[in-house]
Amino acid sequence: MGPTRPLPTLTLSGAQLAASACEAKALALGVPMNIAIVDAATHLLHFSRMDGAKLTSISIAIDKAFTAAGHQIGTHLYKDMVWPGGAAYGIGNSNGGRFTTIGGGLPVLGRHGEVLGAVGCSTGTPAQDEEVARAGVEVLEREIKGGGARAKL
């Protein structure tokens, strides 16, 4: 293997597609959301703050997306591991305090299981946040697997 490799990642148009799906789901639930979409390198690509979304949830949504992309799993999966004695106890202090274990952050996977980015949502309950994030992830994964949207190389 050479000194570099291509990194498939979400594009701005992909992020906008995910944000639209998230906004529609949030409206259907009646819960305004902060919606963050990051690329494969955990950098913010797109952010939406719906009218009425909690101001204190802006950074939480961004950190949920950061965590899901960087650790390549949903943030909700850490729930049982972060208590004293748990396998991931104290992990919330890592990455400058950005690592979050609150549900609502989900990775976007490519055709071969590679992480292309992530969606993070915050304002509702963790279950509502995750449901809204899942709407964005699902629309992207359908497009990617169906060949409609393409990951940038």
Side-chain angles (χ1 to χ4, degrees):
M1 178 183 286
T4 64
R5 65 181 170 93
L7 178 66
T9 191
L10 289 178
T11 62
L12 177 59
S13 63
Q16 291 167 330
L17 179 66
S20 293
C22 290
E23 289 171 14
K25 177 58 84 172
L27 285 172
L29 292 175
V31 181
M33 288 280 167
N34 290 294
I35 302 160
I37 295 96
V38 300
D39 64 16
T42 74
H43 298 289
L44 187 64
L45 271 177
H46 189 275
F47 185 85
S48 293
R49 185 172 65 84
M50 297 174 69
D51 293 340
K54 294 176 185 173
L55 296 175
T56 54
S57 293
I58 292 170
S59 62
I60 296 170
I62 295 168
D63 289 347
K64 286 179 182 184
F66 167 85
T67 301
H71 285 261
Q72 305 175 357
I73 63 171
T75 55
H76 65 286
L77 295 173
Y78 284 95
K79 183 174 88 171
D80 296 326
M81 295 185 281
V82 296
W83 301 103
Y89 178 66
I91 199 164
N93 296 317
S94 70
N95 296 284
R98 293 192 64 196
F99 191 97
T100 184
T101 60
I102 303 167
L106 295 170
V108 176
L109 303 177
R111 289 186 179 152
H112 306 290
E114 71 278 21
V115 174
L116 304 175
V119 178
C121 297
S122 189
T123 286
T125 65
Q128 290 170 324
D129 295 350
E130 185 178 340
E131 185 176 353
V132 172
R134 189 167 309 285
V137 169
E138 287 176 352
V139 74
L140 284 173
E141 290 183 351
R142 273 194 308 272
E143 286 292 311
I144 291 163
K145 290 179 178 146
R150 299 208 182 269
K152 181 175 74 178
L153 294 176

